Amino acid sequence: MKKAVTIVILLLSIALIIGGVLLGQSQPVLTKASKVCLECIGIG
Amino acid sequence: MDKKSRTIIQSVAALIQNANFKGFFTGRIYTGKIKSVCVPGLNCYSCPAAIGACPVGSLQNALSSYKFKIPYYITGLILFFGVLMGRLICGFLCPFGFLQDLLNKIPFPVKIKKFKADRYLRMLKYLVLIVLVIILPICVKLTPFFCKYLCPSGTLAGILLAFSDTGLFRAFGSLFAWKACILGIIISASVIIARPFCKYLCPLGAIYAPLNKVSLFRLECDRSKCISCGKCAEACDMGVDPSEDPNSPECIRCLDCTRVCPVKAIKIKNGLLGNADNKKDIPSV
């Protein structure tokens, strides 16, 4: 049973990554990560 | 695996995830394309040396954006890391976890392993994940609540940035003071308690915790070999009894139990190749 759950989650995660990349969801990650996050460093 | 080898792996992992060393001198963060990929552990993307994106920060950013979309990409990455390694990430790859381990090595007359509220405080991290990382960012747009009000990794990144860009010191106000207090408490607590942030507050640990049971990397206790000496539980800084529950959500896979077991009953198991569902596995309580 655990093996099946592992395989399902593994395949699902890969599908989500590929789907996300195809939908252009990696770009906002890069955009946000390329600027200093003022909230994170405590400026707000 | 001995403690020294683990420390070396943790150092290398922290350095790889923070390979933009020139950022410490220029005060500018890395902006290359690698930053579109999340790192597995908690590592603020505003750290001058960070070359990857923080999974928790990225998740909140996606959830709090004006045009709400289900963040397939980030969720997929976090799940992928989690199902491969579970909380092995916490034990070996997370830079903030490594920092807490180093702090805990500082000699101090009082070292607390377990206390009364410990069991209940451990539930806090799930609350942090649900409320600060998911619900509030969805409800209040453009506000990453966890990063803004709690994340000590971000505060540390701010301090490191401010050393090379002194103008930042002038911009720090009450929010920074609040976050600096939290960082100070976590740093102080880390000297006395092993990994207080991982145990009680880390939302990433809260995601990886349940995946310990189904991840490819698992531990197994061979009951036919176990002599119930209790040495594994005694050695565990996270307060887990590996002979009872080798894949506990609280286990960060430091592998100290495999090292101290006199009969080598606790072993590393591959969740897919190994027979992880056999009768030797003890079901979780």
Side-chain angles (χ1 to χ4, degrees):
Chain A
M1 182 63 186
K2 273 185 186 175
K3 276 184 189 177
V5 175
T6 306
I7 293 169
V8 168
I9 298 175
L10 188 61
L11 294 177
L12 177 73
S13 66
I14 293 168
L16 286 171
I17 294 168
I18 294 169
V21 169
L22 292 176
L23 288 169
Q25 291 188 351
S26 61
Q27 190 55 43
V29 174
L30 176 64
T31 308
K32 174 71 181 172
S34 299
K35 292 172 190 161
V36 173
C37 169
L38 296 178
E39 295 95 342
C40 305
I41 64 170
I43 292 177
Chain B
M1 177 178 286
D2 58 33
K3 284 199 174 192
K4 201 175 173 185
S5 306
R6 181 166 159 250
T7 306
I8 292 168
I9 295 173
Q10 285 178 297
S11 315
V12 172
L15 286 173
I16 291 172
Q17 291 171 82
N18 293 284
N20 181 44
F21 306 122
K22 68 175 182 183
F24 288 121
F25 307 103
T26 60
R28 291 188 176 179
I29 62 168
Y30 175 75
T31 55
K33 282 198 170 177
I34 309 170
K35 251 193 169 169
S36 61
V37 182
C38 297
V39 292
L42 194 78
N43 195 66
C44 185
Y45 35 38
S46 291
C47 173
I51 60 159
C54 170
V56 181
S58 302
L59 183 63
Q60 284 172 98
N61 185 49
L63 293 174
S64 67
S65 64
Y66 277 118
K67 289 179 183 173
F68 178 79
K69 286 174 189 166
I70 298 169
Y72 300 114
Y73 174 65
I74 303 155
T75 313
L77 276 174
I78 296 173
L79 271 182
F80 182 72
F81 293 137
V83 80
L84 283 186
M85 298 174 273
R87 291 193 80 180
L88 181 75
I89 294 162
C90 309
F92 280 81
L93 304 180
C94 179
F96 199 74
F98 179 42
L99 175 70
Q100 290 171 86
D101 281 345
L102 292 178
L103 289 165
N104 196 247
K105 287 184 200 288
I106 297 172
F108 195 76
V110 185
K111 295 275 179 185
I112 301 171
K113 210 165 183 185
K114 261 194 171 180
F115 54 97
K116 264 190 177 177
D118 173 83
R119 195 178 151 197
Y120 304 103
L121 282 174
R122 284 177 196 243
M123 296 294 128
L124 255 182
K125 59 179 174 289
Y126 299 101
L127 201 68
V128 168
L129 170 67
I130 293 165
V131 178
L132 294 185
V133 177
I134 298 172
I135 295 176
L136 285 176
I138 290 174
C139 298
V140 184
K141 295 298 167 195
L142 301 180
T143 312
F145 278 84
F146 171 74
C147 293
K148 190 171 180 178
Y149 297 108
L150 196 63
C151 182
S153 177
T155 318
L156 208 55
I159 294 168
L160 291 172
L161 266 178
F163 275 121
S164 43
D165 180 2
T166 46
L168 273 179
F169 274 118
R170 286 190 289 275
F172 288 150
S174 54
L175 179 64
F176 180 79
W178 162 256
K179 289 197 72 182
C181 281
I182 292 175
L183 177 66
I185 291 168
I186 291 168
I187 285 176
S188 314
S190 299
V191 178
I192 304 164
I193 305 168
R195 296 216 178 205
F197 182 74
C198 307
K199 278 178 185 165
Y200 311 123
L201 295 171
C202 184
L204 202 53
I207 298 174
Y208 293 143
L211 291 170
N212 258 359
K213 301 241 180 246
V214 292
S215 61
L216 288 181
F217 183 95
R218 272 182 242 170
L219 290 180
E220 182 199 50
C221 178
D222 188 339
R223 292 301 297 169
S224 62
K225 281 186 179 176
C226 181
I227 53 169
S228 304
C229 62
K231 282 189 178 168
C232 51
E234 199 180 303
C236 183
D237 283 337
M238 296 299 284
V240 174
D241 183 352
S243 67
E244 287 291 321
D245 188 3
N247 296 304
S248 160
E250 294 300 322
C251 172
I252 59 163
R253 305 329 201 170
C254 67
L255 305 180
D256 278 355
C257 54
T258 59
R259 185 171 49 81
V260 298
C261 180
V263 290
K264 303 294 170 206
I266 302 167
K267 288 176 189 165
I268 296 169
K269 193 102 186 174
N270 182 318
L272 281 186
L273 299 177
N275 184 17
D277 291 325
N278 70 9
K279 287 175 184 175
K280 287 172 184 174
D281 254 350
I282 301 168
S284 58
V285 181

